[in-house]
Amino acid sequence: MLQIALLGFGVVGSGTAEVLTENQKQIAAYCGDEVNVKYILDLREFPEHPLGDRVVHDIKVILDDPEVVLVAEMMGGAHPAYDFTRAALEAGKSVVTSNKEVVATFGAELLELAREKGVSYLFEASVGGGIPIIRPMQTDLASNEILSVSGILNGTTNFILTKMKNEGAEFSDVLREAQKKGYAEANPSADVDGLDAARKIVILAALAFGKLLNPNEISTTGITGITKDHTAVADKLGCAVKLIGHTEKIDGKVLALVSPYLVSGSNPICHVDDVYNGILVDANMLGRALFYGAGAGKLPTASAVVADIIDVLSHRFTERKLPVWVPAKADEIAAVEDYACRRCYLIEGCSRCAEKAKAALGTDTVVTLEGGRFAVVSKEMTEREATEAIASTGLTPIFCLPVLD
Ligand code: HSE
C-alpha cells in the first residue's frame, strides 16, 4: 500500500479524493500498488465524508509518519502552503501541487530542494487546470526550442468574457455565476485583475526559458475595464477579446505579460470559450501546437493532481530529472515597451483623423463604429514605437489593445 496525504480538502482536495476513489483500480495498476489517503490536513472536520476519519489538524502528524511517501498540496495561498511544502520535501517526501502561487513564487528553490533530497516536486495542475501542459513541455517538446507561449490561462475570466460577448451580460452577474460553479479563486480579484494568469505565464516562461520571473512584477492588466466598446470593436474586426498570458524572448531576454488582447479569428485561441483554457506553444521544430481543455473546476484540476501522484509513485524506483529554474536577474527581463505586435486603437474622430492615424501607424486597417468613432489596427511595432506614433497624431485613444494574430 502506498500511503499519501492530502493538504487542503476544498474544491481540488475533495476532487482529488474522488478521482483516487473512482479510478482506484487503474491508478493501482499504474503505480504497481494501491494508493491510500492516510491523512487529510484541513482546519475543518468532514464527519459526513467517507474519508472523514483521516482528517488531522497538525502537519507534524504527516511529516513524522515515515509511511507517507507523497504529499498533495491543494491549500491555495502562499502560506502556510509553501512552509508545509518545504517541510515535506525536507522530510524526504515528494510533493505534488495545484498551487500556482507557490510554484510561481518559490518554484526555483523548491525544485532545488527536491533535487537535493532526491524526491519530486510536480505541479501539472498549477497551469491549465486539467490540461496536460507542464509534462508535455518538459518531455514531448524537449527536442524543441520554445519560441513563444500564448494562452488563455484563467477559466473564470474566459467564462465571463464569453458570456459578455454572447449574452451582453454584465460583468458582476457573470462573476457571481463563475464563483458558484467553483471556478473563481477565493478572492476573485486574482482572476479578474490578472494575477492568477500572471502566476501561470511565469510558470510557463520558466519551463520555456529556465528563468523564473516575479509574477507580481510582470506587466499585468485584467478584464475589469472591458466594456461593450471592446466587444463591438472585436466583432467588427472578426476577433474576440481574450485575457492572454504571453511569453517570448526579445534579444535573449525573457518577456512575460498578461493583458486583454484582440485575438484574430484565424488564431485557434479566438475560439476557446467558456471555462476552457487554450495554450498555444510555438516551438522551432514542431511549429504551433494548441493545448485545450477544462482550465478550472473540481474534477479536471483533480485529474491533473492525480496524474502527478501516479507519475511520482510509478517512478518511485528511478531517479527523476527535475527542471532547473533560476530566478531571473533584472538584466535578463525584457521591457514590455520592446514588445512588438499589432495594436488596435479605438479613437473618436472624423475621417481626417482616421487618415492621420493610418499614416502614423503604417496601416490600412480601419473600421468605423457608431458615435463618430473608428478603430485602427497598427502594423507590427513595439509598444514604444506605437505610443510615439499615436502621440504624433495628437489623437487620444479611448483604448488600446494588443492583437494576437
Ligand atoms: N481561478 C482559476 C481559474 C482556477 O479560473 O482559472 C484554476 O487555476
Side-chain angles (χ1 to χ4, degrees):
M1 189 91 87
L2 299 163
Q3 305 290 1
I4 69 168
L6 310 183
L7 310 190
F9 208 55
V11 174
V12 182
S14 60
T16 297
E18 197 174 325
V19 174
L20 287 167
T21 308
E22 180 76 22
N23 293 342
Q24 193 177 18
K25 281 212 179 90
Q26 78 182 64
I27 292 167
Y30 274 116
C31 296
D33 203 345
E34 264 178 56
V35 178
N36 181 51
V37 176
K38 189 165 182 185
Y39 303 110
I40 294 168
L41 182 81
D42 204 285
L43 294 171
R44 302 159 291 180
E45 295 288 347
F46 299 90
E48 309 299 327
H49 195 279
L51 299 183
D53 60 340
R54 321 284 164 95
V55 173
V56 294
H57 305 296
D58 184 356
I59 186 72
K60 264 181 73 57
V61 177
I62 296 168
L63 297 176
D64 292 345
D65 186 337
E67 275 193 353
V68 174
V69 292
L70 178 146
V71 166
E73 185 274 298
M74 298 156 293
M75 307 175 72
H79 299 284
Y82 158 75
D83 314 85
F84 291 175
T85 299
R86 266 206 80 92
L89 294 171
E90 293 275 11
K93 301 176 194 307
S94 289
V95 177
V96 306
T97 186
S98 58
N99 191 327
K100 51 255 164 176
E101 185 171 354
V102 170
V103 180
T105 312
F106 305 107
E109 67 164 89
L110 293 172
L111 282 165
E112 185 56 40
L113 178 58
R115 240 188 319 277
E116 245 173 70
K117 294 287 170 185
V119 293
S120 289
Y121 181 55
L122 305 189
F123 39 87
E124 183 62 67
S126 65
V127 178
I131 307 170
I133 176 68
I134 305 285
R135 210 173 335 271
M137 280 188 72
Q138 289 178 278
T139 56
D140 306 287
L141 295 179
S143 60
N144 285 256
E145 182 192 337
I146 305 296
L147 303 174
S148 68
V149 183
S150 313
I152 295 172
L153 301 172
N154 183 270
T156 303
T157 46
N158 205 36
F159 181 82
I160 293 172
L161 289 171
T162 305
K163 285 239 164 191
M164 286 174 76
K165 176 181 76 173
N166 291 345
E167 298 170 17
E170 289 298 340
F171 175 83
S172 51
D173 291 341
V174 193
L175 173 61
R176 260 194 297 280
E177 199 179 332
Q179 282 174 302
K180 257 197 227 141
K181 287 178 182 276
Y183 302 151
E185 296 298 295
N187 174 2
S189 138
D191 295 299
V192 297
D193 294 327
L195 182 56
D196 179 74
R199 289 170 180 146
K200 291 167 177 169
I201 197 63
V202 155
I203 295 171
L204 295 175
L207 283 166
F209 307 123
K211 304 285 178 196
L212 185 62
L213 279 67
N214 182 335
N216 298 308
E217 289 177 2
I218 70 168
S219 169
T220 302
T221 309
I223 64 159
T224 50
I226 297 300
T227 64
K228 287 187 176 150
D229 279 347
H230 295 83
T231 317
V233 169
D235 266 2
K236 277 259 182 185
L237 291 165
C239 299
V241 181
K242 298 287 182 190
L243 185 69
I244 298 292
H246 176 81
T247 184
E248 64 178 50
K249 271 193 165 177
I250 302 175
D251 298 330
K253 298 180 181 188
V254 181
L255 170 83
L257 78 154
V258 172
S259 170
Y261 275 67
L262 284 191
V263 182
S264 299
S266 57
N267 187 315
I269 289 184
C270 178
H271 312 288
V272 172
D273 281 340
D274 299 315
V275 73
Y276 288 93
N277 283 190
I279 303 164
L280 196 65
V281 179
D282 193 3
N284 71 337
M285 296 295 137
L286 172 67
R288 280 177 157 193
L290 176 69
F291 296 81
Y292 169 82
K298 181 176 175 174
L299 293 178
T301 309
S303 138
V305 173
V306 176
D308 278 349
I309 294 175
I310 294 171
D311 191 348
V312 171
L313 296 180
S314 61
H315 292 101
R316 63 192 178 282
F317 302 119
T318 53
E319 202 185 325
R320 172 185 296 280
K321 232 176 136 9
L322 293 171
V324 178
W325 291 359
V326 180
K329 298 193 193 95
D331 64 355
E332 294 172 327
I333 302 169
V336 76
E337 292 77 14
D338 292 327
Y339 171 44
C341 64
R342 299 199 302 145
R343 288 163 211 281
C344 174
Y345 293 89
L346 177 65
I347 298 172
E348 192 172 331
C350 56
S351 56
R352 234 170 355 109
C353 300
E355 288 308 314
K356 239 203 256 180
K358 272 168 59 179
L361 295 171
T363 180
D364 278 330
T365 312
V366 172
V367 291
T368 50
L369 286 108
E370 46 187 47
R373 298 167 310 161
F374 63 91
V376 55
V377 182
S378 76
K379 67 174 184 185
E380 184 170 309
M381 52 209 312
T382 65
E383 189 183 281
R384 190 176 284 112
E385 290 164 345
T387 308
E388 278 169 17
I390 275 292
S392 74
T393 64
L395 299 165
T396 309
I398 299 165
F399 69 69
C400 167
L401 284 185
V403 175
L404 191 66
D405 285 304

